[in-house]
Amino acid sequence: MSNEKVALTPATHTTPPAKFSHGVKKGNILQVAGQVGFLPAEEGKAPTPAGPTLREQTLQTFANVKAILEEGGATWDDVMMMRVYLTDVDHFAEMNQIYNEYFEEQGLKAPASARTTVYVGLPKGLLIEIDALAVLG
């Protein structure tokens, strides 16, 4: 297993807007940078949210995190920690419902990951951001 640090950028993602990677893998550790609910990248088109609702954005955010995990050879079962960033405290219960439904559908074999949820400011129109830490093997 290589101990070299490798940047992970799935085909669905644009080049980050600043000097960071969407995901980084070193040895058996994979860190996914905070992802938001942007639809898969289209050449020459500005990033577009999946929709105005928390459900649309949360499900797309999960898809974006999963794409980076897969790029690094990981699955949801390898995730040890997730951090969820919400812009509105009133979204907590709805997000938990969407979160539980999503992971129920994923058919996880390992126990659920640890999770922290905090409230932040995000660019206009974005309601949620999620990052994940995975350990492979």
Side-chain angles (χ1 to χ4, degrees):
M1 190 174 295
S2 172
N3 266 343
E4 194 177 310
K5 190 162 86 170
V6 178
L8 305 169
T9 304
T12 51
H13 288 58
T14 57
T15 301
K19 188 119 181 91
F20 68 88
S21 301
H22 286 295
V24 176
K25 184 177 177 183
K26 184 173 183 179
N28 67 337
I29 298 181
L30 191 164
Q31 175 67 55
V32 177
Q35 299 296 302
V36 294
F38 286 145
L39 293 167
E42 288 184 46
E43 194 64 43
K45 189 175 174 190
T48 310
T53 69
L54 182 65
R55 175 170 292 277
E56 290 166 309
Q57 289 190 26
T58 301
L59 293 175
Q60 185 62 53
T61 300
F62 281 140
N64 294 342
V65 171
K66 187 176 182 181
I68 295 164
L69 290 170
E70 289 175 348
E71 185 82 7
T75 70
W76 287 120
D77 279 320
D78 297 310
V79 174
M80 300 295 292
M81 179 68 183
M82 292 179 66
R83 283 170 291 266
V84 176
Y85 307 91
L86 292 172
T87 59
D88 186 338
V89 294
D90 292 337
H91 285 165
F92 186 73
E94 183 184 358
M95 185 277 299
N96 272 338
Q97 183 182 356
I98 297 162
Y99 189 99
N100 289 341
E101 288 169 9
Y102 177 84
F103 284 107
E104 189 70 33
E105 290 169 10
Q106 296 303 302
L108 300 185
K109 294 171 189 65
S113 70
R115 190 187 97 191
T116 297
T117 303
V118 296
Y119 301 95
V120 299
L122 290 172
K124 188 171 170 37
L126 294 176
L127 305 174
I128 188 167
E129 181 172 353
I130 299 173
D131 72 38
L133 174 68
V135 178
L136 290 79

